[in-house]
Amino acid sequence: MQQQFLKILLLFFIAGYITSCNTVKRVADDEHLLVENTVYVNDKKNNTETITNLLHQKPNSRLPLIGNLRLNIYNLARPNRDSIFEAWLDKKPKRRERLKKAYSQKQVDKIKASALGFNNWLKNTGEPPVIVNEEKTLKSTKRLESYYKFNGWSNVEVDYEISKKDNQRASIDYFVKHGKPYIIDSITKNIKSPIIDSLYKHGKQRAIIKQNDQLVYANLGLERNRIATQMRNSGVFHFNQDYIMFNVDTINTNKKANIDVIIQNRAIRTQDSVIRRPFKVYKIKDVNIFTDYTFENRNEPFQDSISYNSYKLYSFNKMRYRPKALTDAVFINPGTIFKDLDRTRSYRHISELRTFKYPDINYIENLDSTLTANIHLTPLKKFGLGFSAEVSKSNIQAIGFSLNPSLLIRNIFRGAETFEISAIGAIGASDDASNNSKQFFDINEIGVDLKLTIPRLFSPFYTENIIPKYMLPKTRISLSATSQTNIGLDKQTFTGTFNYKWNPTSIGTNRLDLFNVQYVRNLNVGNYFGIYQNAYRTLENIALDSYNTPPEFITLDDNGNEILIQESADDFIDLVINDNSFETSNPTDYKTVNSIDERKKRLTENNLIFSSSFSFIQDKRQNLFDEDFSIFRFKVEAAGNLLANASKLLGLNKNANNRYELFNVAYSQYIKTEFDYVKHWDLGRKNVLALRGFFGIAIPYGNSSSIPFSKSFFAGGANDNRAWTAYGLGPGSSETSDEFNEANLKLAFSVEQRFNIFEKLNGAVFIDTGNIWNALDDVNDDNATFTGFSSLKDIAIGSGFGFRYDFSFFVFRFDIGFKTYDPSYRAQNRWFNDYNFANAVYNIGINYPF
């Protein structure tokens, strides 16, 4: 393996050497290729992205181990392909005429277009060489000078030095010298309107520019925006940023800056003059809501109108909405002062109703210095139909097809509620069935999901003081049922949820599940060893090699070899567990059989989960294209407490396993928490460094000694540690042969460097670490249990690389993960044992893993 790894490295180095000789292929003899920029600020190197982005010329992009790939692709193109093709046609006498006779002039033109098209593709895909240009270098010095002056530094001087080498390559050093920064000494004001002066004083503690801070001219723009926003949210309807000016004095002030804030009176433009008047504070006099406005009916008379809490609602047809449902979504209140923020919140809240198109909100100025707000709402269609289809392949099925129809009903109870009915119907062929011509599609799933969304907190209590309506509160009630057959154990699942969701800040989302009830019923428990073949083979080995197994448990396969009858596996387990002599003589095998039995009971038992949870998400992304942000997710969930207390109060009896039951099912009791953090750094030029950290633990107690399978953690897969398949890693350093490894504690950490290769093709290199363990549950395997910091030595490390193609609306991802540090090699060297393509894991995914 190590020799193969060295061969791969050697191949990369040889390829890099060959391509490096090709980099100056399109560089003229009197030109030099720019290979490096270095900026020195007061004799100290500064290579921050902020400074390097100021330079007009940057070296050609480089990829790890490959070098200037795009430059080399560009160099493959021929500079004068058009004339070269024409010269080729005329190189031999009669070639042009012969081609015309054989193919026609049109075909010859197509041959030429094809040759030129591929040549142009090489040029467009590649990257032309960056030639040192002294004029652009001078522009870079001007940018650097402006940047440091703009950020308050005094006596800024910028120089440069171009170092040209004999191999037609060159580097540029920039030297920035600056003195001490300008410090804000005094801030005075010159404000004409008394009301503006009073409001300015009231908000001065939130000012961005302050005494003794360094003078940064960008902060003046931010302060200008802050003042304008404050005024617009304090009733000053006609105010905007154009009325604000700053006079900055730094002449003969000994590096001090004196700032004068100037705010002019309102400018009222007439036909031939401009009149200055003091600003006024405007109040909202009337709020008119037009509930079914369209461009076609704009001049029609109203058929219905309602006055509700000082709001006036109008309808061109019969009123279809309860007034409170609409007024709760409007933050512009009659009798209050004008605020820009109220209009912004109204836009957002009305759009969140999913009942109207984007609203139109405008103000009309009245003669008494008040405003009338007109809100035009255009309803969406009451019914919306949806349909999707999917073709899939997995480790369970060779091929599968699913259909997902849905129906959305808007304003179902006249309160802008939405009711959605969706269904799923799926069929598939398992790997075994795909070889059976009699029954190819042997997997099926059917299900229905009902969701009611209410655009407020549905509660008998008044909650406006706790969660005001600007936080966009919602209530969702949902019921779902699915039935799967010939998928694993076959199961029926029934789920009911009642939750609240609201946004306390522009970047924060809270969700409270008052209750979440889930009932899982396994229909085909007898198929357990048909699914978990590794467990069956382990039992079979013990039955044939270690135990004096009765002959009725053994049969012969098609090749005449003895095998354990799969239907007798449960009887064999009972026989071994009740055999005290075998426990004494073969404790390891006895323990193995006992572990298989415990796992089987846990995975085949029916589950009843009655839980409540709270989750918080802080997402600092500005938009979908933002690549410099962080996301923090937190969730805590508690299950079974209400049922446990009720069972004790009612004096219910426990079952044989010392557990309370409800409807003949032992309910789960646990507490679970998760922390998830994602951070992206935009390094410029389509380079992004992405990081993710995750911690989760679920602790069973009371009525449970283990966590339900659906609530446990797993490791591996396309969005986790990509060097292992999903459910293939852990727990701990155990050498488990289970098909689905899971546990109740998880640690994960990933870092990924993303870069552009050319056009829409991107690459990435990554390192994924983490593992799962059992903790505070009924598992006694020391290798699988987290016992303290010493267990951190079992954190698995995977590394690899991948490619992503950006289709704009989604990203197709292909990653290759290599097992770099494998904890399953307990007493051996754990590094690079399976670090090769034969043991690599190949992952295909949609969009990025984090």
Side-chain angles (χ1 to χ4, degrees):
M1 186 282 303
Q2 190 172 5
Q3 290 180 349
Q4 182 178 359
F5 182 66
L6 292 174
K7 288 178 182 178
I8 294 173
L9 283 179
L10 181 61
L11 181 63
F12 273 116
F13 283 127
I14 293 173
Y17 176 77
I18 294 173
T19 55
S20 67
C21 298
N22 190 47
T23 53
V24 293
K25 182 177 180 180
R26 302 299 178 199
V27 178
D29 293 338
D30 59 341
E31 295 177 337
H32 288 78
L33 179 72
L34 178 61
V35 295
E36 185 179 14
N37 283 325
T38 307
V39 180
Y40 296 91
V41 180
N42 287 348
D43 300 326
K44 290 184 179 179
K45 187 183 291 187
N46 187 325
N47 59 357
T48 61
E49 192 67 23
T50 302
I51 297 302
T52 55
N53 280 340
L54 296 172
L55 305 180
H56 272 279
Q57 284 190 298
K58 302 179 182 67
N60 290 97
S61 58
R62 294 180 60 86
L63 297 177
L65 300 176
I66 299 176
N68 303 112
L69 175 63
R70 293 190 64 188
L71 173 58
N72 292 321
I73 292 175
Y74 180 89
N75 288 339
L76 292 174
R78 308 185 77 169
N80 302 307
R81 191 69 181 90
D82 190 5
S83 59
I84 290 173
F85 185 84
E86 292 294 329
W88 176 78
L89 284 177
D90 297 329
K91 186 175 182 180
K92 290 184 178 181
K94 299 182 181 180
R95 175 182 280 175
R96 186 186 294 269
E97 288 72 17
R98 189 167 59 251
L99 289 173
K100 286 182 182 179
K101 289 180 180 179
Y103 300 105
S104 78
Q105 179 64 46
K106 185 176 181 180
Q107 292 296 326
V108 174
D109 291 341
K110 285 188 175 181
I111 294 173
K112 179 180 178 180
S114 177
L116 293 177
F118 179 70
N119 198 69
N120 290 335
W121 180 86
L122 289 173
K123 286 185 175 181
N124 294 332
T125 301
E127 187 179 70
V130 179
I131 307 300
V132 173
N133 184 310
E134 194 153 1
E135 183 178 342
K136 292 182 178 180
T137 304
L138 286 170
K139 287 183 178 180
S140 296
T141 62
K142 295 296 183 184
R143 273 191 177 182
L144 288 168
E145 183 180 354
S146 298
Y147 172 81
Y148 279 94
K149 287 183 176 179
F150 194 69
N151 280 276
W153 298 97
S154 64
N155 304 327
V156 179
E157 296 179 1
V158 183
D159 201 358
Y160 68 92
E161 182 180 311
I162 301 176
S163 300
K164 298 180 179 179
K165 301 177 182 178
D166 295 336
N167 58 0
Q168 290 187 276
R169 293 167 174 81
S171 60
I172 305 177
D173 293 332
Y174 295 89
F175 303 95
V176 180
K177 299 282 187 180
H178 63 71
K180 294 180 179 180
Y182 287 101
I183 303 299
I184 299 175
D185 185 46
S186 65
I187 302 174
T188 57
K189 59 183 177 63
N190 183 2
I191 301 175
K192 303 296 184 181
S193 298
I195 188 64
I196 300 298
D197 186 47
S198 176
L199 291 171
Y200 176 81
K201 291 178 182 177
H202 183 70
K204 195 173 181 180
Q205 68 274 12
R206 295 187 295 273
I208 296 172
I209 56 172
K210 298 179 180 179
Q211 282 183 300
N212 300 319
D213 284 354
Q214 183 170 334
L215 174 64
V216 178
Y217 284 89
N219 288 343
L220 298 181
L222 296 176
E223 175 67 2
R224 194 168 180 241
N225 181 66
R226 184 199 67 80
I227 295 172
T229 301
Q230 179 195 354
M231 301 305 162
R232 293 281 295 176
N233 286 323
S234 301
V236 190
F237 177 68
H238 293 286
F239 197 88
N240 60 59
Q241 292 188 20
D242 294 338
Y243 290 106
I244 307 170
M245 294 183 296
F246 295 99
N247 187 8
V248 181
D249 181 17
T250 58
I251 300 174
N252 298 324
T253 59
N254 192 25
K255 304 298 184 296
K256 302 292 184 182
N258 300 309
I259 301 176
D260 188 19
V261 182
I262 303 171
I263 303 180
Q264 299 175 335
N265 276 336
R266 176 190 171 192
I268 304 174
R269 289 173 174 80
T270 61
Q271 204 167 19
D272 53 1
S273 64
V274 176
I275 304 172
R276 294 282 180 178
R277 292 284 187 271
F279 283 100
K280 295 180 180 179
V281 171
Y282 283 72
K283 283 190 173 184
I284 305 299
K285 183 177 183 180
D286 296 305
V287 179
N288 301 319
I289 303 175
F290 304 94
T291 63
D292 55 355
Y293 175 85
T294 62
F295 183 79
E296 291 76 14
N297 67 10
R298 65 192 185 281
N299 295 321
E300 298 293 325
F302 299 115
Q303 291 189 20
D304 202 353
S305 63
I306 297 175
S307 293
Y308 178 81
N309 284 353
S310 300
Y311 291 91
K312 298 176 182 178
L313 291 83
Y314 300 93
S315 178
F316 294 96
N317 299 292
K318 184 179 178 181
M319 186 73 67
R320 293 188 293 166
Y321 307 93
R322 292 201 305 271
K324 188 178 188 317
L326 300 184
T327 57
D328 277 354
V330 175
F331 292 81
I332 306 168
N333 299 313
T336 62
I337 63 171
F338 161 80
K339 291 181 181 179
D340 245 359
L341 182 62
D342 290 341
R343 177 160 56 177
T344 302
R345 287 173 172 170
S346 298
Y347 276 132
R348 184 181 176 190
H349 206 154
I350 293 171
S351 298
E352 289 278 340
L353 294 179
R354 298 173 64 196
T355 303
F356 304 97
K357 296 179 181 178
Y358 196 75
D360 177 40
I361 303 175
N362 57 70
Y363 294 95
I364 298 175
E365 185 177 355
N366 302 313
L367 296 177
D368 58 353
S369 298
T370 60
L371 299 172
T372 295
N374 291 325
I375 303 173
H376 297 91
L377 305 178
T378 303
L380 294 168
K381 292 182 178 179
K382 186 175 183 65
F383 298 97
L385 294 174
F387 185 85
S388 65
E390 183 179 322
V391 180
S392 60
K393 185 182 186 307
S394 69
N395 59 341
I396 296 176
Q397 57 186 9
I399 189 170
F401 303 92
S402 66
L403 301 177
N404 301 88
S406 63
L407 171 66
L408 178 67
I409 306 175
R410 298 181 176 90
N411 194 41
I412 186 169
F413 300 123
R414 298 182 64 241
E417 306 91 351
T418 56
F419 182 62
E420 187 172 4
I421 306 172
S422 59
I424 181 174
I427 58 173
S430 67
D431 290 329
D432 294 333
S434 62
N435 298 319
N436 186 348
S437 59
K438 294 182 180 180
Q439 187 184 11
F440 184 76
F441 292 109
D442 65 332
I443 293 176
N444 66 75
E445 179 181 3
I446 58 172
V448 63
D449 189 8
L450 310 177
K451 294 179 183 177
L452 175 65
T453 302
I454 304 171
R456 54 195 168 274
L457 293 188
F458 186 70
S459 169
F461 308 105
Y462 182 74
T463 59
E464 177 70 19
N465 292 335
I466 303 172
I467 304 176
K469 66 178 185 178
Y470 75 81
M471 293 184 181
L472 305 178
K474 292 180 182 178
T475 302
R476 172 168 288 185
I477 305 169
S478 68
L479 294 172
S480 66
T482 59
S483 177
Q484 299 174 335
T485 57
N486 292 336
I487 304 177
L489 301 177
D490 299 347
K491 64 181 180 180
Q492 293 175 339
T493 304
F494 303 92
T495 305
T497 62
F498 186 101
N499 65 62
Y500 296 134
K501 183 180 178 181
W502 68 97
N503 303 98
T505 65
S506 60
I507 60 174
T509 302
N510 290 345
R511 172 172 166 163
L512 174 64
D513 282 17
L514 283 183
F515 65 81
N516 186 321
V517 181
Q518 185 180 42
Y519 172 62
V520 180
R521 179 188 176 195
N522 294 302
L523 304 176
N524 190 12
V525 176
N527 192 37
Y528 179 84
F529 288 110
I531 304 164
Y532 296 93
Q533 284 286 309
N534 289 335
Y536 165 73
R537 283 190 288 270
T538 301
L539 281 180
E540 185 178 58
N541 291 334
I542 295 173
L544 299 178
D545 299 336
S546 304
Y547 196 78
N548 186 20
T549 306
E552 61 266 23
F553 291 172
I554 305 298
T555 188
L556 299 178
D557 63 11
D558 295 337
N559 297 320
N561 299 317
E562 289 187 336
I563 60 173
L564 175 67
I565 299 174
Q566 195 173 105
E567 291 76 12
S568 301
D570 288 329
D571 294 331
F572 175 72
I573 290 175
D574 292 338
L575 185 67
V576 171
I577 290 177
N578 293 318
D579 191 339
N580 295 329
S581 61
F582 185 73
E583 181 181 8
T584 304
S585 60
N586 293 275
T588 302
D589 288 342
Y590 180 87
K591 184 178 180 181
T592 300
V593 173
N594 191 61
S595 296
I596 291 174
D597 181 56
E598 289 178 352
R599 178 175 170 83
K600 177 180 178 294
K601 288 178 179 178
R602 189 167 80 84
L603 296 185
T604 58
E605 70 176 357
N606 297 331
N607 294 132
L608 177 61
I609 304 171
F610 194 104
S611 66
S612 299
S613 65
F614 173 79
S615 61
F616 167 72
I617 301 176
Q618 185 184 70
D619 188 344
K620 294 186 178 181
R621 279 179 296 190
Q622 300 295 320
N623 51 60
L624 291 175
F625 306 102
D626 187 9
E627 285 294 358
D628 201 321
F629 64 88
S630 66
I631 302 175
F632 174 72
R633 300 181 180 92
F634 165 75
K635 182 178 181 180
V636 60
E637 177 181 2
N641 295 331
L642 182 63
L643 296 180
N645 291 328
S647 299
K648 292 176 183 178
L649 289 174
L650 295 175
L652 300 181
N653 295 322
K654 294 184 177 182
N655 62 15
N657 295 319
N658 200 32
R659 300 179 66 184
Y660 290 114
E661 291 185 348
L662 184 64
F663 306 120
N664 295 321
V665 179
Y667 55 84
S668 299
Q669 189 172 7
Y670 62 85
I671 186 166
K672 180 180 181 181
T673 187
E674 298 175 9
F675 297 87
D676 191 2
Y677 179 74
V678 174
K679 173 63 180 175
H680 285 201
W681 289 274
D682 189 348
L683 305 180
R685 304 186 76 180
K686 296 184 179 181
N687 278 266
V688 176
L689 180 64
L691 175 147
R692 184 198 181 196
F694 177 89
F695 169 76
I697 185 170
I699 302 173
Y701 64 96
N703 208 50
S704 297
S705 59
S706 62
I707 299 298
F709 183 85
S710 61
K711 296 295 182 178
S712 59
F713 300 105
F714 71 92
N719 297 322
D720 196 72
N721 196 322
R722 284 161 279 186
W724 279 263
T725 57
Y727 293 94
L729 174 59
S733 63
S734 59
E735 297 175 287
T736 175
S737 58
D738 293 331
E739 287 84 353
F740 300 98
N741 297 300
E742 42 80 38
N744 65 322
L745 186 151
K746 179 176 180 178
L747 283 172
F749 183 84
S750 296
V751 61
E752 181 172 284
Q753 173 71 50
R754 301 167 185 168
F755 50 86
N756 180 252
I757 299 176
F758 55 80
E759 293 185 345
K760 294 187 176 183
L761 180 63
N762 300 302
V765 292
F766 58 83
I767 297 175
D768 298 326
T769 66
N771 207 334
I772 56 173
W773 293 267
N774 290 95
L776 304 174
D777 61 2
D778 57 3
V779 175
N780 298 315
D781 185 354
D782 292 338
N783 296 310
T785 304
F786 190 89
T787 56
F789 287 108
S790 60
S791 297
L792 297 180
K793 68 179 183 299
D794 295 331
I795 289 180
I797 302 176
S799 59
F801 62 92
F803 302 95
R804 295 92 163 83
Y805 192 86
D806 190 350
F807 286 95
S808 298
F809 50 94
F810 74 91
V811 174
F812 177 81
R813 174 165 53 91
F814 176 71
D815 290 327
I816 305 175
F818 301 92
K819 295 178 178 63
T820 308
Y821 179 89
D822 190 346
S824 66
Y825 289 91
R826 295 180 193 161
Q828 308 169 41
N829 174 44
R830 299 180 174 186
W831 290 97
F832 301 107
N833 288 305
D834 299 310
Y835 202 89
N836 50 60
F837 285 98
N839 292 291
V841 175
Y842 300 88
N843 301 279
I844 294 177
I846 300 298
N847 296 327
Y848 292 103
F850 53 89

